[in-house]
Every structure is written in C-alpha cells, then in structure tokens.
Amino acid sequence: MKVPESVRDIPREELFVGGHGLCAGCVAGTIARHLVKMAGPNTIVVSSTSCVEVSTAFYPYTSWRVPWIHVAFENAAAVASGIESALKVLARKGAIDPSRRINVVVYAGDGGTFDIGLQALSGMLERGHKVTYVVYDNEAYMNTGIQRSGATPPMAWTSTTPVGSKVRGKEGRKKDIVAIALAHGIPYAATANPAYPLDMDAKFVRGLSAPGPSLVHVLMPCTTGWRFEPRIGIKLARLAVETGMWINYEVVEGRLRVTTKVPKRKPVEEYLRLQGRFSHLTPEEIREIQNTVDREVDRINALAGEIAIGPVAR
C-alpha cells in the first residue's frame, strides 16, 4: 500500500458503490469508499449495527465489493479478532498462501465503539490483533433515533438530552477514544476528517501497515442528527478543523504529530451556528465552548511540541 501524495495516487477501482440508502448529504459513504480504495480487494470488512450497516446491505443487494460481515452492536472487534486469528491458522496449515496479505478492517459508528462495543475493542487492542478499526463518528445514535452517545459533544441537543430552562443539552464531556486506544500501547492511532481526503487516506494506509492493531477516528457530519442542509456536510467537516473543534493528528509509537495545521482559527460560533442541534445556545454558552476548545488546543500543541493550531483570529 502506498501513502497517497496527490489525488492521482488514489486507486480508481471502486470497491464501495452507489445504490445504497444513506441519507442525502451523508458522508459515511464517502469515508467507506476511501477506506476500501486504500485497503484494496484483499480486505474483509466487519460492520457492527449502524446507519451504514442498515443502508448499504439490503438483502440480497450490497454496496460492498469486498467480503463483508454484519455483526451485533457490541462485538465487531471480537469478530474481527476471530477472523484475524483464523487467517493465521489457515496460513499455518497451508490452506491459504501465507505470503498473501489480507486486511481485516472494522467499520463502526461511535455508538458501537465509544459505548456498546468498547469492551470488545479493548480486548482486541490488548491482545494485539492486527486489525484496523475505523470509527465514523456522527456524535450520537443516529440510526435509532438520535440518542446521545459517549461521543456527543457538550450542550448538543439529542432526543435523550432535550433542551430546557435547566438542562442545556448533553451534559459532560466527549470521550477521548484515541487516548483510550493509546492506553493499550498500540502502534498507531489517528484522527481524520473527510474534508481532507488525502490526509484521511494516508492515515488509513498507515493504520493498515502498522505492526499491530490500529485505530482511525473519523468525524462524520450527520445531516439528520446535526440538522444542517445536506449540501454543506463537507463544509461543516472543514469548519470543524478551522475552528479547532476537531484536530487532525496521528500518534505513531507514542509520538503525536498534528497533520493539518491551522495558523489562525475561526471562532467556534461559525461551526455551531450552522447546526440545529446547537441552535439553543446563548452567547455565554458559546463562549464556554470556545474556552473548552482553547484548552484542548493548548493540550494538543503541548503534546506536539509546537504551535500547530494557532489562536482565534479576532
């Protein structure tokens, strides 16, 4: 696998095709398309219950042109572990060519990763299975009614974090799934964003090439749950980076590097005001979110050892 340096390096072969039932404006299909382009045809994809699972595999039809298996919400990482182990046994017994490279990939949402599937993910990472786990994060359980997940950001409206005079949306912080994964001592973890496809694709390749388990955490704007116009999904994804609400970085053998530098940030209000789930926020609440983002930027800059993400342009 070659790390793409330009769009010309992205394979033309389509292994994830149209005809699926994803919502208009959904970018989960874009992420999946790029993921299997980078992985290639010798890939087995494991999908837990999610928006992508129910919309890309209407029996007897499928959008996947690679071996694909649907499993329950909680056990995608466990099933992928079993597949990876089985491939080792088959190679040892001579049933398959041991020199043939077969990728095992999990493609799961935030609910099946941050919450319900976290135990299986932890076990997979702890045991060291060579599996690339890609979580597309739309920051709630969008497939079952927009309930909050461990990935939902503070003060966001969801159907289980309604907004009123006392409760102002989701309470508590968003889990740091990359930090949780890195706590297992894995060789590669990264965050990515579909508005920066070359950076995202390079991280898929590095994850697939890592000498052990890897995790790539990808932001996925959801037109239904975030309540924005379908045509601005990629614009929102880019604004997340430009405001510091999302930082593209990777950690290789414990060393953190910011891969999309932002010399001058835009105010978070530009990102929040385009989404119906944040339409209730007062100026004071937006300032509170801005302060939280500023602290996170300082933390990542300190870990990177440079000012990779600059101050807010006033």
Side-chain angles (χ1 to χ4, degrees), residues 208-228:
L208 291 162
S209 304
S214 57
L215 181 138
V216 183
H217 178 200
V218 188
L219 182 67
M220 196 225 93
C222 173
T223 181
T224 303
W226 294 19
R227 302 190 172 184
F228 61 81

Side-chain angles (χ1 to χ4, degrees), residues 1 8 80 86 121 135 154 160 167 194 197 205 222 239 253 278 288 290 301 314:
M1 288 173 283
R8 293 183 179 84
L121 172 62
V135 49
T160 52
V167 178
V205 172
C222 173
L239 264 176
E253 302 294 350
F278 291 119
E288 185 178 339
Q290 181 71 68
N301 281 338
R314 302 292 183 185

Side-chain angles (χ1 to χ4, degrees), residues 80-154:
S81 300
I83 293 172
E84 188 255 9
S85 297
L87 290 173
K88 286 181 178 175
V89 172
L90 290 172
R92 189 169 67 244
K93 292 184 174 181
I96 60 175
D97 182 354
S99 66
R100 183 183 181 191
R101 179 179 182 132
I102 301 176
N103 300 306
V104 181
V105 174
V106 173
Y107 191 56
D110 50 294
T113 304
F114 287 64
D115 302 328
I116 301 174
L118 186 60
Q119 182 179 6
L121 172 62
S122 176
M124 185 198 86
L125 299 178
E126 180 186 348
R127 292 188 298 271
H129 294 280
K130 186 170 170 24
V131 174
T132 297
Y133 194 108
V134 176
V135 49
Y136 68 96
D137 180 5
N138 55 27
E139 301 186 326
Y141 290 85
M142 301 306 184
N143 181 43
T144 53
I146 319 177
Q147 299 93 344
R148 60 88 78 189
S149 78
T152 304

